Amino acid sequence: QVQVVESGGGLVQPGGSLRLSCAASGNIAWINTMGWYRRAPGKQRELVASITSGRTNYADSVKGRFTISRDDAKNTVYLQMNSLKPEDTAVYYCNVNGRTTGALLANDYWGQGTQVTVSS
């Protein structure tokens, strides 16, 4: 009943920028936290950045380079990625933590992932 769709991934040169977008739709009534995770081949999934009301959280590896933002009117979260490095190459997944209509507890909803490749 809840769909999470990412966009904005692609191939970029080192030092370049990309902006990822993630929109939640469907039977979502309230969103607590939205976040971005990534998984490189052969590695564990890691939290990149998350945002809730008045709070942001970043992995140390992306602080100062990435910025997460949120548009509540559109149920959309963005990840502005600047000064990209080859080690940023990964599949980036959007996570939405929220409640559907009538639900007491929040659940996690995941997007399908979008590939980010940083290479010269």
Side-chain angles (χ1 to χ4, degrees):
Q1 295 182 1
V2 177
Q3 294 80 44
V4 178
V5 180
E6 304 109 327
S7 62
L11 175 65
V12 65
Q13 294 183 350
S17 298
L18 286 173
R19 190 179 77 155
L20 305 183
S21 299
C22 169
S25 62
N27 194 30
I28 190 75
W30 176 80
I31 294 175
N32 177 30
T33 302
M34 306 183 84
W36 291 94
Y37 294 74
R38 68 186 181 187
R39 187 184 186 277
K43 296 183 178 180
Q44 295 292 318
R45 182 183 64 189
E46 65 173 343
L47 175 68
V48 178
S50 64
I51 184 168
T52 187
S53 297
R55 304 177 189 272
T56 58
N57 183 45
Y58 296 94
D60 288 341
S61 60
V62 307
K63 286 181 179 177
R65 299 189 297 120
F66 292 9
T67 303
I68 189 169
S69 60
R70 177 174 170 177
D71 185 342
D72 289 338
K74 298 180 179 179
N75 287 337
T76 299
V77 63
Y78 305 94
L79 186 67
Q80 179 66 47
M81 305 186 294
N82 298 325
S83 302
L84 283 162
K85 303 175 181 180
E87 50 263 44
D88 295 317
T89 296
V91 178
Y92 284 70
Y93 297 92
C94 179
N95 172 265
V96 177
N97 179 268
R99 292 188 291 107
T100 56
T101 301
L104 177 63
L105 301 177
N107 289 318
D108 285 312
Y109 304 93
W110 292 90
Q112 81 288 349
T114 185
Q115 177 71 49
V116 172
T117 302
V118 184
S119 176
S120 59

